[in-house]
Amino acid sequence: MDYVKPAEVLESMVEAGKAKAEMSSSQMLMRGFLGGGILAFATTLAYTATTQTTMPLAGAVIFPIGFVIIVLLGLELVTGSFALIPLSVFKRETTLSRMMANYGLVIIGHLIGCAVYAALYGMAVTKMGTDMANPLAQMLIQVSETKTLGYQKMGFDGIILVFIKAILCNWMVTLGVVMAMTSKSTLGKIVAMWLPILMFFEQGFEHAVVNMFVIPAGMMLGADVTITDWWVWNQIPVLLGNFVGGALFTGFMFYWSHNKKKDSESQALQAGLPTTPALAAEKSGL
């Protein structure tokens, strides 16, 4: 059997968070660069499938390919780390400063990787700028404007909406990271992590790393979006929402639901037994 029980998965989550926080700065940057670029590849593949089939579900089914590659190769996706490293900090396996350093360097890596792919893909899809009518180029422009100006038109409600959609997104993305830990086989990991990623992409929720590619790519192709529009109306609230969704709904809720210490203490209380060494000593008269 290659199935890994939830209690063991929880231990793996803490260990993975510690390992991510303790990488060198160059590893964080390079793995973030590769993670961002590969996810951008998967995004354009999904958009290609959607354009060719006129079925958004086709794109959602294909998109997890990028996520699978990133996880199996041990690359960095800051949104996945939002569920893992906070647990390691909570368990005192690493520090808050190391967590923030990881997030900062990986995000910089993502931005560079996504920008490089956006520039190269833009040249390829428009035939070096000679075919701006290409449906994929127009799709990137439309998505870029929708993800920024669309929320801007709503004012403060737009900020709340994008924040909520970011929470929902990373609840599923980090669940995909955790699901990959439930199997010891490569095939089992692929199938397990595929499902939550499909769920978030098909419903149009907001993923920070995808947006680090889509919005700048649209801007490069002529979208009427400024850097301020990008960061104020999307990137910053999406990063914050992704963190809440990953850390709270996947990281800590999974921890609270499967923490062995809490389970054993609960069983001891029900049996009328002491729950700590001090209480045990008192109970025995020591």
Side-chain angles (χ1 to χ4, degrees):
M1 294 292 290
D2 64 0
Y3 172 67
V4 180
K5 294 181 180 180
E8 297 175 65
V9 170
L10 181 57
E11 294 177 6
S12 297
M13 290 170 67
V14 175
E15 292 172 4
K18 178 183 178 181
K20 287 177 177 293
E22 293 184 348
M23 286 189 299
S24 68
S25 297
S26 60
Q27 285 180 314
M28 293 178 192
L29 281 169
M30 187 59 67
R31 294 186 189 187
F33 174 92
L34 294 172
I38 290 169
L39 203 66
F41 262 99
T43 302
T44 54
L45 178 63
Y47 286 170
T48 301
T50 298
T51 301
Q52 291 176 343
T53 64
T54 68
M55 294 175 57
L57 182 58
V61 170
I62 290 174
F63 175 75
I65 290 175
F67 184 83
V68 167
I69 294 171
I70 291 167
V71 172
L72 292 183
L73 293 182
L75 303 177
E76 282 298 291
L77 199 62
V78 71
T79 46
S81 298
F82 283 163
L84 304 178
I85 304 181
L87 274 184
S88 297
V89 173
F90 179 73
K91 295 288 289 183
R92 297 184 180 179
E93 296 291 334
T94 189
T95 64
L96 182 62
S97 61
R98 285 184 176 273
M99 180 181 81
M100 298 309 296
N102 175 277
Y103 291 166
L105 290 168
V106 171
I107 287 172
I108 291 171
H110 287 337
L111 288 168
I112 298 171
C114 288
V116 169
Y117 181 73
L120 295 175
Y121 181 78
M123 289 186 283
V125 80
T126 64
K127 300 178 182 178
M128 299 302 290
T130 63
D131 183 18
M132 296 304 297
N134 186 298
L136 290 168
Q138 292 304 309
M139 186 174 187
L140 283 170
I141 292 172
Q142 180 183 353
V143 172
S144 179
E145 293 178 347
T146 300
K147 285 179 172 289
T148 53
L149 305 181
Y151 295 120
Q152 185 184 50
K153 290 177 182 177
M154 297 177 64
F156 184 70
D157 286 347
I159 294 290
I160 300 300
L161 175 60
V162 73
F163 180 74
I164 291 172
K165 291 171 74 173
I167 291 175
L168 295 173
C169 166
N170 216 37
W171 188 351
M172 289 298 101
V173 170
T174 49
L175 194 59
V177 173
V178 174
M179 288 287 283
M181 298 178 181
T182 63
S183 175
K184 296 179 181 178
S185 73
T186 302
L187 180 59
K189 289 177 179 292
I190 291 172
V191 174
M193 72 177 92
W194 203 284
L195 306 177
I197 307 306
L198 187 158
M199 290 170 66
F200 108 74
F201 196 85
E202 169 60 15
Q203 297 182 80
F205 296 143
E206 296 286 347
H207 188 273
V209 185
V210 170
N211 293 348
M212 288 177 193
F213 160 70
V214 173
I215 299 175
M219 293 166 65
M220 292 179 189
L221 293 168
D224 187 22
V225 176
T226 67
I227 293 178
T228 300
D229 293 333
W230 167 23
W231 283 90
V232 172
W233 296 102
N234 188 287
Q235 202 65 66
I236 292 175
V238 169
L239 279 167
L240 294 174
N242 282 171
F243 179 79
V244 172
L248 178 60
F249 288 97
T250 295
F252 284 108
M253 285 194 175
F254 188 79
Y255 173 80
W256 292 327
S257 64
H258 290 286
N259 183 15
K260 283 184 176 181
K261 183 179 179 181
K262 285 190 174 183
D263 290 343
S264 62
E265 286 183 356
S266 176
Q267 293 170 3
L269 286 171
Q270 291 176 3
L273 299 174
T275 59
T276 65
L279 289 176
E282 182 180 341
K283 188 91 171 178
S284 62
L286 299 177

mmCIF file of all heavy atoms in Angstrom, residues 196-242:
data_model
loop_
_atom_site.group_PDB
_atom_site.id
_atom_site.type_symbol
_atom_site.label_atom_id
_atom_site.label_comp_id
_atom_site.label_asym_id
_atom_site.label_seq_id
_atom_site.Cartn_x
_atom_site.Cartn_y
_atom_site.Cartn_z
ATOM 1 N N PRO A 196 -7.586 18.957 -6.614
ATOM 2 C CA PRO A 196 -7.837 20.300 -6.064
ATOM 3 C C PRO A 196 -7.425 21.423 -7.002
ATOM 4 O O PRO A 196 -8.066 22.480 -7.027
ATOM 5 C CB PRO A 196 -7.001 20.323 -4.776
ATOM 6 C CG PRO A 196 -6.730 18.903 -4.449
ATOM 7 C CD PRO A 196 -6.641 18.211 -5.766
ATOM 8 N N ILE A 197 -6.368 21.210 -7.799
ATOM 9 C CA ILE A 197 -5.906 22.258 -8.708
ATOM 10 C C ILE A 197 -6.931 22.490 -9.810
ATOM 11 O O ILE A 197 -7.218 23.635 -10.186
ATOM 12 C CB ILE A 197 -4.531 21.888 -9.311
ATOM 13 C CG1 ILE A 197 -3.525 21.555 -8.206
ATOM 14 C CG2 ILE A 197 -4.010 23.025 -10.177
ATOM 15 C CD1 ILE A 197 -3.369 22.635 -7.159
ATOM 16 N N LEU A 198 -7.490 21.404 -10.330
ATOM 17 C CA LEU A 198 -8.559 21.525 -11.321
ATOM 18 C C LEU A 198 -9.731 22.326 -10.750
ATOM 19 O O LEU A 198 -10.312 23.180 -11.432
ATOM 20 C CB LEU A 198 -9.019 20.121 -11.746
ATOM 21 C CG LEU A 198 -10.013 19.979 -12.893
ATOM 22 C CD1 LEU A 198 -9.915 18.568 -13.487
ATOM 23 C CD2 LEU A 198 -11.464 20.218 -12.456
ATOM 24 N N MET A 199 -10.066 22.071 -9.505
ATOM 25 C CA MET A 199 -11.212 22.736 -8.866
ATOM 26 C C MET A 199 -11.031 24.244 -8.791
ATOM 27 O O MET A 199 -11.953 25.015 -9.081
ATOM 28 C CB MET A 199 -11.419 22.156 -7.458
ATOM 29 C CG MET A 199 -11.939 20.733 -7.467
ATOM 30 S SD MET A 199 -11.893 19.964 -5.831
ATOM 31 C CE MET A 199 -13.083 20.959 -4.957
ATOM 32 N N PHE A 200 -9.833 24.709 -8.424
ATOM 33 C CA PHE A 200 -9.634 26.154 -8.286
ATOM 34 C C PHE A 200 -9.590 26.837 -9.650
ATOM 35 O O PHE A 200 -10.172 27.908 -9.839
ATOM 36 C CB PHE A 200 -8.360 26.449 -7.477
ATOM 37 C CG PHE A 200 -7.193 26.992 -8.269
ATOM 38 C CD1 PHE A 200 -7.189 28.304 -8.729
ATOM 39 C CD2 PHE A 200 -6.091 26.200 -8.549
ATOM 40 C CE1 PHE A 200 -6.123 28.806 -9.457
ATOM 41 C CE2 PHE A 200 -5.023 26.689 -9.271
ATOM 42 C CZ PHE A 200 -5.039 28.001 -9.738
ATOM 43 N N PHE A 201 -8.922 26.219 -10.634
ATOM 44 C CA PHE A 201 -8.733 26.877 -11.927
ATOM 45 C C PHE A 201 -10.051 27.007 -12.682
ATOM 46 O O PHE A 201 -10.322 28.051 -13.287
ATOM 47 C CB PHE A 201 -7.719 26.096 -12.763
ATOM 48 C CG PHE A 201 -7.176 26.885 -13.928
ATOM 49 C CD1 PHE A 201 -6.099 27.740 -13.760
ATOM 50 C CD2 PHE A 201 -7.740 26.765 -15.197
ATOM 51 C CE1 PHE A 201 -5.593 28.479 -14.822
ATOM 52 C CE2 PHE A 201 -7.235 27.495 -16.264
ATOM 53 C CZ PHE A 201 -6.168 28.350 -16.077
ATOM 54 N N GLU A 202 -10.858 25.979 -12.645
ATOM 55 C CA GLU A 202 -12.126 26.001 -13.384
ATOM 56 C C GLU A 202 -13.079 27.070 -12.857
ATOM 57 O O GLU A 202 -13.871 27.643 -13.612
ATOM 58 C CB GLU A 202 -12.785 24.614 -13.309
ATOM 59 C CG GLU A 202 -14.225 24.548 -13.802
ATOM 60 C CD GLU A 202 -14.397 24.966 -15.263
ATOM 61 O OE1 GLU A 202 -13.379 25.032 -15.997
ATOM 62 O OE2 GLU A 202 -15.544 25.235 -15.664
ATOM 63 N N GLN A 203 -12.996 27.385 -11.572
ATOM 64 C CA GLN A 203 -13.934 28.342 -10.982
ATOM 65 C C GLN A 203 -13.426 29.786 -11.004
ATOM 66 O O GLN A 203 -14.083 30.684 -10.477
ATOM 67 C CB GLN A 203 -14.261 27.911 -9.547
ATOM 68 C CG GLN A 203 -14.971 26.558 -9.503
ATOM 69 C CD GLN A 203 -15.345 26.135 -8.106
ATOM 70 O OE1 GLN A 203 -16.331 26.581 -7.547
ATOM 71 N NE2 GLN A 203 -14.533 25.253 -7.527
ATOM 72 N N GLY A 204 -12.271 29.999 -11.611
ATOM 73 C CA GLY A 204 -11.787 31.361 -11.813
ATOM 74 C C GLY A 204 -11.334 32.069 -10.557
ATOM 75 O O GLY A 204 -11.423 33.303 -10.470
ATOM 76 N N PHE A 205 -10.827 31.329 -9.575
ATOM 77 C CA PHE A 205 -10.319 31.959 -8.372
ATOM 78 C C PHE A 205 -8.949 32.588 -8.644
ATOM 79 O O PHE A 205 -8.356 32.373 -9.698
ATOM 80 C CB PHE A 205 -10.247 30.944 -7.229
ATOM 81 C CG PHE A 205 -11.601 30.406 -6.814
ATOM 82 C CD1 PHE A 205 -11.762 29.088 -6.423
ATOM 83 C CD2 PHE A 205 -12.723 31.227 -6.832
ATOM 84 C CE1 PHE A 205 -13.005 28.597 -6.049
ATOM 85 C CE2 PHE A 205 -13.976 30.748 -6.464
ATOM 86 C CZ PHE A 205 -14.115 29.429 -6.074
ATOM 87 N N GLU A 206 -8.436 33.357 -7.688
ATOM 88 C CA GLU A 206 -7.250 34.174 -7.916
ATOM 89 C C GLU A 206 -5.988 33.550 -7.304
ATOM 90 O O GLU A 206 -5.889 33.370 -6.092
ATOM 91 C CB GLU A 206 -7.456 35.574 -7.336
ATOM 92 C CG GLU A 206 -8.566 36.369 -8.014
ATOM 93 C CD GLU A 206 -8.172 36.873 -9.391
ATOM 94 O OE1 GLU A 206 -6.963 36.829 -9.725
ATOM 95 O OE2 GLU A 206 -9.064 37.310 -10.137
ATOM 96 N N HIS A 207 -5.022 33.245 -8.183
ATOM 97 C CA HIS A 207 -3.760 32.648 -7.763
ATOM 98 C C HIS A 207 -2.631 33.635 -8.009
ATOM 99 O O HIS A 207 -2.424 34.108 -9.132
ATOM 100 C CB HIS A 207 -3.510 31.351 -8.536
ATOM 101 C CG HIS A 207 -2.354 30.561 -8.049
ATOM 102 N ND1 HIS A 207 -1.065 30.774 -8.492
ATOM 103 C CD2 HIS A 207 -2.279 29.552 -7.131
ATOM 104 C CE1 HIS A 207 -0.252 29.923 -7.891
ATOM 105 N NE2 HIS A 207 -0.949 29.178 -7.064
ATOM 106 N N ALA A 208 -1.867 33.951 -6.970
ATOM 107 C CA ALA A 208 -0.856 35.007 -7.050
ATOM 108 C C ALA A 208 0.188 34.750 -8.126
ATOM 109 O O ALA A 208 0.575 35.676 -8.860
ATOM 110 C CB ALA A 208 -0.169 35.170 -5.695
ATOM 111 N N VAL A 209 0.661 33.513 -8.242
ATOM 112 C CA VAL A 209 1.738 33.236 -9.187
ATOM 113 C C VAL A 209 1.222 33.240 -10.621
ATOM 114 O O VAL A 209 1.904 33.730 -11.531
ATOM 115 C CB VAL A 209 2.448 31.915 -8.855
ATOM 116 C CG1 VAL A 209 3.646 31.694 -9.784
ATOM 117 C CG2 VAL A 209 2.905 31.900 -7.395
ATOM 118 N N VAL A 210 0.036 32.710 -10.842
ATOM 119 C CA VAL A 210 -0.573 32.794 -12.177
ATOM 120 C C VAL A 210 -0.705 34.260 -12.584
ATOM 121 O O VAL A 210 -0.396 34.643 -13.717
ATOM 122 C CB VAL A 210 -1.952 32.106 -12.197
ATOM 123 C CG1 VAL A 210 -2.685 32.420 -13.512
ATOM 124 C CG2 VAL A 210 -1.810 30.600 -12.022
ATOM 125 N N ASN A 211 -1.132 35.092 -11.645
ATOM 126 C CA ASN A 211 -1.309 36.520 -11.941
ATOM 127 C C ASN A 211 0.007 37.244 -12.169
ATOM 128 O O ASN A 211 0.053 38.262 -12.859
ATOM 129 C CB ASN A 211 -2.097 37.194 -10.819
ATOM 130 C CG ASN A 211 -3.530 36.701 -10.746
ATOM 131 O OD1 ASN A 211 -4.006 36.019 -11.653
ATOM 132 N ND2 ASN A 211 -4.224 37.021 -9.669
ATOM 133 N N MET A 212 1.093 36.732 -11.585
ATOM 134 C CA MET A 212 2.406 37.322 -11.838
ATOM 135 C C MET A 212 2.821 37.137 -13.297
ATOM 136 O O MET A 212 3.703 37.849 -13.796
ATOM 137 C CB MET A 212 3.461 36.685 -10.912
ATOM 138 C CG MET A 212 3.337 37.110 -9.463
ATOM 139 S SD MET A 212 4.556 36.256 -8.426
ATOM 140 C CE MET A 212 3.928 36.643 -6.781
ATOM 141 N N PHE A 213 2.202 36.167 -13.962
ATOM 142 C CA PHE A 213 2.438 35.996 -15.394
ATOM 143 C C PHE A 213 1.363 36.682 -16.239
ATOM 144 O O PHE A 213 1.672 37.464 -17.135
ATOM 145 C CB PHE A 213 2.481 34.511 -15.766
ATOM 146 C CG PHE A 213 2.249 34.278 -17.228
ATOM 147 C CD1 PHE A 213 3.211 34.659 -18.163
ATOM 148 C CD2 PHE A 213 1.058 33.727 -17.693
ATOM 149 C CE1 PHE A 213 2.987 34.489 -19.526
ATOM 150 C CE2 PHE A 213 0.826 33.543 -19.045
ATOM 151 C CZ PHE A 213 1.800 33.928 -19.968
ATOM 152 N N VAL A 214 0.109 36.377 -15.953
ATOM 153 C CA VAL A 214 -0.994 36.815 -16.819
ATOM 154 C C VAL A 214 -1.071 38.337 -16.944
ATOM 155 O O VAL A 214 -1.195 38.880 -18.053
ATOM 156 C CB VAL A 214 -2.336 36.254 -16.302
ATOM 157 C CG1 VAL A 214 -3.494 36.861 -17.092
ATOM 158 C CG2 VAL A 214 -2.363 34.746 -16.428
ATOM 159 N N ILE A 215 -1.007 39.028 -15.813
ATOM 160 C CA ILE A 215 -1.183 40.483 -15.860
ATOM 161 C C ILE A 215 -0.013 41.182 -16.560
ATOM 162 O O ILE A 215 -0.237 41.985 -17.472
ATOM 163 C CB ILE A 215 -1.434 41.043 -14.444
ATOM 164 C CG1 ILE A 215 -2.721 40.437 -13.862
ATOM 165 C CG2 ILE A 215 -1.539 42.573 -14.480
ATOM 166 C CD1 ILE A 215 -3.008 40.825 -12.431
ATOM 167 N N PRO A 216 1.245 40.898 -16.203
ATOM 168 C CA PRO A 216 2.347 41.520 -16.948
ATOM 169 C C PRO A 216 2.366 41.133 -18.421
ATOM 170 O O PRO A 216 2.709 41.953 -19.279
ATOM 171 C CB PRO A 216 3.592 41.006 -16.230
ATOM 172 C CG PRO A 216 3.124 40.648 -14.863
ATOM 173 C CD PRO A 216 1.735 40.129 -15.058
ATOM 174 N N ALA A 217 2.003 39.873 -18.721
ATOM 175 C CA ALA A 217 1.979 39.441 -20.125
ATOM 176 C C ALA A 217 0.972 40.274 -20.912
ATOM 177 O O ALA A 217 1.253 40.722 -22.035
ATOM 178 C CB ALA A 217 1.624 37.958 -20.217
ATOM 179 N N GLY A 218 -0.210 40.489 -20.321
ATOM 180 C CA GLY A 218 -1.209 41.320 -20.977
ATOM 181 C C GLY A 218 -0.724 42.749 -21.151
ATOM 182 O O GLY A 218 -0.967 43.382 -22.190
ATOM 183 N N MET A 219 -0.023 43.266 -20.133
ATOM 184 C CA MET A 219 0.529 44.624 -20.220
ATOM 185 C C MET A 219 1.552 44.732 -21.353
ATOM 186 O O MET A 219 1.579 45.716 -22.094
ATOM 187 C CB MET A 219 1.166 45.005 -18.878
ATOM 188 C CG MET A 219 0.162 45.161 -17.739
ATOM 189 S SD MET A 219 0.936 45.202 -16.097
ATOM 190 C CE MET A 219 1.873 46.723 -16.194
ATOM 191 N N MET A 220 2.394 43.722 -21.490
ATOM 192 C CA MET A 220 3.390 43.720 -22.571
ATOM 193 C C MET A 220 2.724 43.719 -23.948
ATOM 194 O O MET A 220 3.272 44.254 -24.912
ATOM 195 C CB MET A 220 4.303 42.494 -22.443
ATOM 196 C CG MET A 220 5.228 42.496 -21.246
ATOM 197 S SD MET A 220 6.228 40.977 -21.194
ATOM 198 C CE MET A 220 7.006 41.126 -19.580
ATOM 199 N N LEU A 221 1.537 43.099 -24.020
ATOM 200 C CA LEU A 221 0.836 42.987 -25.301
ATOM 201 C C LEU A 221 -0.084 44.170 -25.574
ATOM 202 O O LEU A 221 -0.735 44.214 -26.619
ATOM 203 C CB LEU A 221 0.033 41.680 -25.333
ATOM 204 C CG LEU A 221 0.868 40.398 -25.354
ATOM 205 C CD1 LEU A 221 0.000 39.182 -25.094
ATOM 206 C CD2 LEU A 221 1.608 40.259 -26.683
ATOM 207 N N GLY A 222 -0.161 45.107 -24.611
ATOM 208 C CA GLY A 222 -0.940 46.313 -24.858
ATOM 209 C C GLY A 222 -2.159 46.528 -23.982
ATOM 210 O O GLY A 222 -2.961 47.433 -24.242
ATOM 211 N N ALA A 223 -2.328 45.729 -22.944
ATOM 212 C CA ALA A 223 -3.464 45.921 -22.039
ATOM 213 C C ALA A 223 -3.384 47.291 -21.378
ATOM 214 O O ALA A 223 -2.292 47.773 -21.051
ATOM 215 C CB ALA A 223 -3.478 44.827 -20.973
ATOM 216 N N ASP A 224 -4.532 47.908 -21.157
ATOM 217 C CA ASP A 224 -4.593 49.246 -20.550
ATOM 218 C C ASP A 224 -4.510 49.135 -19.027
ATOM 219 O O ASP A 224 -5.439 49.500 -18.296
ATOM 220 C CB ASP A 224 -5.895 49.940 -20.980
ATOM 221 C CG ASP A 224 -5.939 51.393 -20.521
ATOM 222 O OD1 ASP A 224 -4.865 51.969 -20.263
ATOM 223 O OD2 ASP A 224 -7.063 51.937 -20.415
ATOM 224 N N VAL A 225 -3.391 48.603 -18.563
ATOM 225 C CA VAL A 225 -3.192 48.338 -17.138
ATOM 226 C C VAL A 225 -1.846 48.913 -16.719
ATOM 227 O O VAL A 225 -0.834 48.720 -17.407
ATOM 228 C CB VAL A 225 -3.221 46.822 -16.847
ATOM 229 C CG1 VAL A 225 -2.924 46.540 -15.380
ATOM 230 C CG2 VAL A 225 -4.571 46.229 -17.237
ATOM 231 N N THR A 226 -1.812 49.616 -15.595
ATOM 232 C CA THR A 226 -0.561 50.163 -15.071
ATOM 233 C C THR A 226 -0.012 49.239 -13.982
ATOM 234 O O THR A 226 -0.716 48.352 -13.481
ATOM 235 C CB THR A 226 -0.771 51.559 -14.481
ATOM 236 O OG1 THR A 226 -1.608 51.447 -13.308
ATOM 237 C CG2 THR A 226 -1.433 52.491 -15.492
ATOM 238 N N ILE A 227 1.240 49.481 -13.614
ATOM 239 C CA ILE A 227 1.839 48.700 -12.530
ATOM 240 C C ILE A 227 1.062 48.908 -11.230
ATOM 241 O O ILE A 227 0.858 47.969 -10.453
ATOM 242 C CB ILE A 227 3.326 49.087 -12.350
ATOM 243 C CG1 ILE A 227 4.127 48.646 -13.576
ATOM 244 C CG2 ILE A 227 3.895 48.463 -11.078
ATOM 245 C CD1 ILE A 227 5.594 49.023 -13.534
ATOM 246 N N THR A 228 0.598 50.131 -10.994
ATOM 247 C CA THR A 228 -0.210 50.412 -9.795
ATOM 248 C C THR A 228 -1.506 49.622 -9.826
ATOM 249 O O THR A 228 -1.924 49.047 -8.805
ATOM 250 C CB THR A 228 -0.519 51.917 -9.695
ATOM 251 O OG1 THR A 228 0.710 52.643 -9.614
ATOM 252 C CG2 THR A 228 -1.361 52.214 -8.462
ATOM 253 N N ASP A 229 -2.170 49.587 -10.989
ATOM 254 C CA ASP A 229 -3.402 48.790 -11.132
ATOM 255 C C ASP A 229 -3.131 47.336 -10.782
ATOM 256 O O ASP A 229 -3.925 46.694 -10.069
ATOM 257 C CB ASP A 229 -3.920 48.873 -12.576
ATOM 258 C CG ASP A 229 -4.394 50.258 -12.962
ATOM 259 O OD1 ASP A 229 -4.812 51.012 -12.064
ATOM 260 O OD2 ASP A 229 -4.341 50.584 -14.166
ATOM 261 N N TRP A 230 -2.033 46.825 -11.308
ATOM 262 C CA TRP A 230 -1.672 45.421 -11.090
ATOM 263 C C TRP A 230 -1.514 45.111 -9.608
ATOM 264 O O TRP A 230 -2.122 44.172 -9.085
ATOM 265 C CB TRP A 230 -0.394 45.122 -11.877
ATOM 266 C CG TRP A 230 0.305 43.838 -11.554
ATOM 267 C CD1 TRP A 230 -0.233 42.706 -10.995
ATOM 268 C CD2 TRP A 230 1.689 43.538 -11.781
ATOM 269 N NE1 TRP A 230 0.729 41.724 -10.857
ATOM 270 C CE2 TRP A 230 1.915 42.202 -11.334
ATOM 271 C CE3 TRP A 230 2.756 44.263 -12.338
ATOM 272 C CZ2 TRP A 230 3.166 41.597 -11.412
ATOM 273 C CZ3 TRP A 230 4.000 43.653 -12.418
ATOM 274 C CH2 TRP A 230 4.201 42.335 -11.959
ATOM 275 N N TRP A 231 -0.709 45.913 -8.889
ATOM 276 C CA TRP A 231 -0.402 45.591 -7.506
ATOM 277 C C TRP A 231 -1.503 45.977 -6.527
ATOM 278 O O TRP A 231 -1.783 45.220 -5.575
ATOM 279 C CB TRP A 231 0.931 46.240 -7.107
ATOM 280 C CG TRP A 231 2.084 45.468 -7.670
ATOM 281 C CD1 TRP A 231 2.697 45.649 -8.874
ATOM 282 C CD2 TRP A 231 2.718 44.331 -7.068
ATOM 283 N NE1 TRP A 231 3.679 44.707 -9.063
ATOM 284 C CE2 TRP A 231 3.723 43.884 -7.970
ATOM 285 C CE3 TRP A 231 2.559 43.654 -5.864
ATOM 286 C CZ2 TRP A 231 4.537 42.794 -7.696
ATOM 287 C CZ3 TRP A 231 3.381 42.577 -5.589
ATOM 288 C CH2 TRP A 231 4.354 42.154 -6.493
ATOM 289 N N VAL A 232 -2.143 47.106 -6.730
ATOM 290 C CA VAL A 232 -3.171 47.552 -5.781
ATOM 291 C C VAL A 232 -4.456 46.751 -5.916
ATOM 292 O O VAL A 232 -5.061 46.343 -4.920
ATOM 293 C CB VAL A 232 -3.457 49.057 -5.969
ATOM 294 C CG1 VAL A 232 -4.665 49.485 -5.130
ATOM 295 C CG2 VAL A 232 -2.231 49.875 -5.582
ATOM 296 N N TRP A 233 -4.878 46.520 -7.168
ATOM 297 C CA TRP A 233 -6.178 45.891 -7.387
ATOM 298 C C TRP A 233 -6.115 44.381 -7.576
ATOM 299 O O TRP A 233 -7.146 43.734 -7.734
ATOM 300 C CB TRP A 233 -6.886 46.549 -8.560
ATOM 301 C CG TRP A 233 -7.192 47.980 -8.281
ATOM 302 C CD1 TRP A 233 -6.520 49.080 -8.726
ATOM 303 C CD2 TRP A 233 -8.234 48.464 -7.429
ATOM 304 N NE1 TRP A 233 -7.072 50.223 -8.211
ATOM 305 C CE2 TRP A 233 -8.141 49.880 -7.419
ATOM 306 C CE3 TRP A 233 -9.246 47.856 -6.686
ATOM 307 C CZ2 TRP A 233 -9.004 50.678 -6.680
ATOM 308 C CZ3 TRP A 233 -10.118 48.645 -5.954
ATOM 309 C CH2 TRP A 233 -9.989 50.047 -5.950
ATOM 310 N N ASN A 234 -4.903 43.813 -7.527
ATOM 311 C CA ASN A 234 -4.819 42.359 -7.658
ATOM 312 C C ASN A 234 -3.691 41.761 -6.831
ATOM 313 O O ASN A 234 -3.953 41.038 -5.875
ATOM 314 C CB ASN A 234 -4.655 41.962 -9.131
ATOM 315 C CG ASN A 234 -4.751 40.458 -9.322
ATOM 316 O OD1 ASN A 234 -3.861 39.711 -8.976
ATOM 317 N ND2 ASN A 234 -5.874 40.006 -9.887
ATOM 318 N N GLN A 235 -2.435 42.054 -7.181
ATOM 319 C CA GLN A 235 -1.334 41.265 -6.637
ATOM 320 C C GLN A 235 -1.240 41.297 -5.113
ATOM 321 O O GLN A 235 -1.067 40.249 -4.477
ATOM 322 C CB GLN A 235 -0.016 41.731 -7.248
ATOM 323 C CG GLN A 235 1.074 40.673 -7.179
ATOM 324 C CD GLN A 235 0.758 39.440 -8.015
ATOM 325 O OE1 GLN A 235 0.693 39.499 -9.228
ATOM 326 N NE2 GLN A 235 0.545 38.311 -7.366
ATOM 327 N N ILE A 236 -1.332 42.463 -4.510
ATOM 328 C CA ILE A 236 -1.212 42.538 -3.048
ATOM 329 C C ILE A 236 -2.381 41.845 -2.341
ATOM 330 O O ILE A 236 -2.155 40.979 -1.478
ATOM 331 C CB ILE A 236 -1.063 44.001 -2.572
ATOM 332 C CG1 ILE A 236 0.290 44.558 -3.026
ATOM 333 C CG2 ILE A 236 -1.190 44.096 -1.048
ATOM 334 C CD1 ILE A 236 0.500 46.027 -2.726
ATOM 335 N N PRO A 237 -3.647 42.185 -2.666
ATOM 336 C CA PRO A 237 -4.742 41.475 -1.989
ATOM 337 C C PRO A 237 -4.772 39.988 -2.289
ATOM 338 O O PRO A 237 -5.172 39.186 -1.433
ATOM 339 C CB PRO A 237 -6.007 42.178 -2.515
ATOM 340 C CG PRO A 237 -5.588 42.910 -3.733
ATOM 341 C CD PRO A 237 -4.154 43.271 -3.525
ATOM 342 N N VAL A 238 -4.309 39.577 -3.472
ATOM 343 C CA VAL A 238 -4.294 38.150 -3.800
ATOM 344 C C VAL A 238 -3.230 37.421 -2.981
ATOM 345 O O VAL A 238 -3.470 36.327 -2.475
ATOM 346 C CB VAL A 238 -4.071 37.939 -5.317
ATOM 347 C CG1 VAL A 238 -3.786 36.467 -5.613
ATOM 348 C CG2 VAL A 238 -5.305 38.391 -6.090
ATOM 349 N N LEU A 239 -2.063 38.018 -2.831
ATOM 350 C CA LEU A 239 -1.025 37.410 -1.994
ATOM 351 C C LEU A 239 -1.519 37.239 -0.557
ATOM 352 O O LEU A 239 -1.318 36.184 0.065
ATOM 353 C CB LEU A 239 0.249 38.252 -2.015
ATOM 354 C CG LEU A 239 1.168 38.064 -3.226
ATOM 355 C CD1 LEU A 239 2.219 39.165 -3.281
ATOM 356 C CD2 LEU A 239 1.857 36.692 -3.174
ATOM 357 N N LEU A 240 -2.171 38.272 -0.037
ATOM 358 C CA LEU A 240 -2.687 38.201 1.332
ATOM 359 C C LEU A 240 -3.786 37.146 1.454
ATOM 360 O O LEU A 240 -3.813 36.362 2.406
ATOM 361 C CB LEU A 240 -3.220 39.570 1.764
ATOM 362 C CG LEU A 240 -2.168 40.688 1.892
ATOM 363 C CD1 LEU A 240 -2.854 42.027 2.178
ATOM 364 C CD2 LEU A 240 -1.169 40.363 2.996
ATOM 365 N N GLY A 241 -4.689 37.116 0.492
ATOM 366 C CA GLY A 241 -5.761 36.121 0.515
ATOM 367 C C GLY A 241 -5.227 34.715 0.356
ATOM 368 O O GLY A 241 -5.691 33.779 1.026
ATOM 369 N N ASN A 242 -4.256 34.531 -0.532
ATOM 370 C CA ASN A 242 -3.636 33.217 -0.695
ATOM 371 C C ASN A 242 -2.979 32.756 0.600
ATOM 372 O O ASN A 242 -3.046 31.577 0.958
ATOM 373 C CB ASN A 242 -2.578 33.259 -1.807
ATOM 374 C CG ASN A 242 -3.153 33.229 -3.208
ATOM 375 O OD1 ASN A 242 -2.428 33.421 -4.185
ATOM 376 N ND2 ASN A 242 -4.440 33.010 -3.346
#
